[in-house]
């Protein structure tokens, strides 16, 4: 079973982005700028936000993180995000999720101007994506497609099974696969006998958030398996939605956890920020 690791994919994308950023900086008169809004002190979110900043610096972007206490009035954050949306110095705005419970996620996604919504969560950007005319690409799903393309795994005409239908992974991933002419089966919590449906697929995308849900009963001989899930074992090690030992003798290739889909998301966030900065030129 081939391991579809992210490292060479990221190296290739990153190198190209560094070069493109040098040119863009001279045309724009400044570096692309990413602003992250972090509300509360969730330790995992703090790590993600720090990593986003480091990755932005590495490709030549500038960045800042705005911190708000967990108890903040949503109206205060909304006003600040609207100011950022209007600023000529800011290209990408991202509100780190999860947000505290006094915030409504469905409303928060509309606060960022669609032209700066580098997370691709604004309803307008989701509409454009489903329409086949995307402004930005959804970061994790686009990272998945980059891995398949790098390893020259064909998508067109293949049967793809997406396990999960969240707004952040399952739904936008299905849209991207359809745009690449795959035949998409989408299974979710209410699907009867999802294993039998998934067993028809040439390409399997596990994004259910259930540790080791996918085993040999879900996989047909020779299928390519992409594991989006992230779970931490009792020993602190990361694992995914797929049981790699169980599918070892069936799958032809699989993304490992860690080192597969996980690191791709930030890379695609940077691509979106670049794209947003580039759009400011016209
Ligand atoms: P979610 O909980 O929002 O959605 C899970 C989806 O899976 C739901 O649509 C649900 O119907 C479906 N589902 C649940 N149990 C199922 C079952 N038994 N059979 C079939 N479908 C089932 O989760 P999410 O935000 O989409 O995240 C999914 C996983 O991907 C999580 O482990 C998360 O940590 C991971 N994730 C990774 C990245 C990354 O790699 N950068 C980004 C986002 C999410």
């Amino acid at each position: 079973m081939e391991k579809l690791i992210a490292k060479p994919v990221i190296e290739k994308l990153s190198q190209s982005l560094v070069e493109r950023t040098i040119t863009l900086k001279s045309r724009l008169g400044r570096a692309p700028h990413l602003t992250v809004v972090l509300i509360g002190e969730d330790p995992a979110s703090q790590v993600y936000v720090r990593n986003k900043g480091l990755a932005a610096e590495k490709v030549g972007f500038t960045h800042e993180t705005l911190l708000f206490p967990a108890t903040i009035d949503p109206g205060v954050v909304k006003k600040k995000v609207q100011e950022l949306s209007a600023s000529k110095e800011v290209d990408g705005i991202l509100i780190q999720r999860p947000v505290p419970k006094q915030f409504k996620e469905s409303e928060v996604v509309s606060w960022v101007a669609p032209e700066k919504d580098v997370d691709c969560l604004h309803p307008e950007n989701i509409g454009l994506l489903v329409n086949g005319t995307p402004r930005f690409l959804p970061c994790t799903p686009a990272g998945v497609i980059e891995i398949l393309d790098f390893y020259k795994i064909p998508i067109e005409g293949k049967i793809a099974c997406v396990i999960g239908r969240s707004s952040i992974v399952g739904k936008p991933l299905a849209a991207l696969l359809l745009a690449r002419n795959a035949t998409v089966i989408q299974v979710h919590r209410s699907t009867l006998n999802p294993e039998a449906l998934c067993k028809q697929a040439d390409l399997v995308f596990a994004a259910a958030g259930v540790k080791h849900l996918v085993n040999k009963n879900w996989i047909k001989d020779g299928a390519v398996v992409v594991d989006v899930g992230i779970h931490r074992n009792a020993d602190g090690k990361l694992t995914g939605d797929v049981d790699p030992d169980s599918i070892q003798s069936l799958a032809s290739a699989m993304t490992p956890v860690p080192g597969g889909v996980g690191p791709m998301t930030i890379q695609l966030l940077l691509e979106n920020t670049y794209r947003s900065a580039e759009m400011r030129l016209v």
Side-chain angles (χ1 to χ4, degrees), residues 6-78:
K7 198 162 175 262
V9 193
I10 288 175
E11 277 168 6
K12 190 177 166 201
L13 291 173
S14 197
Q15 196 184 348
S16 152
L17 190 54
V18 167
E19 286 164 14
R20 283 179 283 141
T21 300
I22 292 168
T23 313
L24 183 59
K25 262 168 109 168
S26 64
R27 294 178 66 201
L28 201 61
R30 62 168 176 80
H33 184 87
L34 173 69
T35 299
V36 178
V37 174
L38 177 59
I39 312 157
E41 288 171 5
D42 176 56
S45 291
Q46 286 174 335
V47 173
Y48 289 140
V49 168
R50 196 163 52 242
N51 288 343
K52 283 167 187 169
L54 291 172
E57 280 169 29
K58 230 171 146 181
V59 294
F61 294 1
T62 53
H63 69 94
E64 69 185 324
T65 301
L66 298 182
L67 297 171
F68 291 97
T71 51
I72 191 89
D73 176 349
V76 174
V77 180
K78 182 178 179 181

Side-chain angles (χ1 to χ4, degrees), residues 60-281:
F61 294 1
T62 53
H63 69 94
E64 69 185 324
T65 301
L66 298 182
L67 297 171
F68 291 97
T71 51
I72 191 89
D73 176 349
V76 174
V77 180
K78 182 178 179 181
K79 190 160 174 281
K80 186 67 204 173
V81 171
Q82 284 169 338
E83 281 170 30
L84 293 167
S85 290
S87 165
K88 287 195 166 63
E89 307 301 317
V90 176
D91 300 303
I93 306 167
L94 177 151
I95 302 173
Q96 183 66 40
R97 295 169 334 120
V99 285
K101 55 183 180 312
Q102 72 272 28
F103 288 77
K104 280 203 185 110
E105 289 227 14
S106 57
E107 289 177 8
V108 169
V109 291
S110 297
W111 291 355
V112 175
E115 299 78 18
K116 297 189 179 181
D117 168 40
V118 287
D119 235 357
C120 194
L121 292 173
H122 191 287
E124 183 177 312
N125 288 327
I126 292 167
L128 287 169
L129 173 70
V130 174
N131 194 43
T133 53
R135 176 187 277 133
F136 295 115
L137 293 175
C139 299
T140 303
V144 166
I145 302 290
E146 287 287 350
I147 292 183
L148 295 183
D149 286 346
F150 180 88
Y151 287 100
K152 301 201 171 7
I153 293 165
I155 301 173
E156 180 157 352
K158 300 292 175 189
I159 299 178
C161 180
V162 178
I163 308 166
R165 58 168 170 189
S166 70
S167 306
I168 189 105
V169 188
K171 279 187 205 161
L173 178 55
L176 289 184
L177 290 164
L178 275 175
R180 292 287 296 268
N181 295 325
T183 300
V184 180
I185 302 170
Q186 191 142 32
V187 302
H188 47 80
R189 213 175 258 120
S190 305
T191 305
L192 299 176
N193 200 358
E195 293 93 330
L197 289 165
C198 191
K199 227 176 161 59
Q200 298 176 37
D202 307 298
L203 307 170
V204 174
F205 302 88
V210 181
K211 183 176 152 183
H212 290 191
L213 171 73
V214 178
N215 56 34
K216 61 181 182 343
N217 300 330
W218 296 64
I219 304 298
K220 96 169 171 189
D221 208 359
V224 172
V225 181
V226 174
D227 192 350
V228 184
I230 304 177
H231 309 275
R232 200 170 283 282
N233 281 330
D235 61 5
K237 289 196 178 133
L238 293 181
T239 191
D241 280 4
V242 180
D243 179 352
D245 295 335
S246 173
I247 68 155
Q248 172 84 23
S249 60
L250 280 173
S252 60
M254 182 188 164
T255 59
V257 180
V261 175
M264 295 299 300
T265 302
I266 291 183
Q267 195 60 39
L268 272 294
L269 172 72
L270 299 178
E271 288 287 344
N272 279 345
T273 306
Y274 173 88
R275 201 178 162 124
S276 181
E278 200 177 36
M279 285 191 299
R280 248 142 283 289
L281 287 173

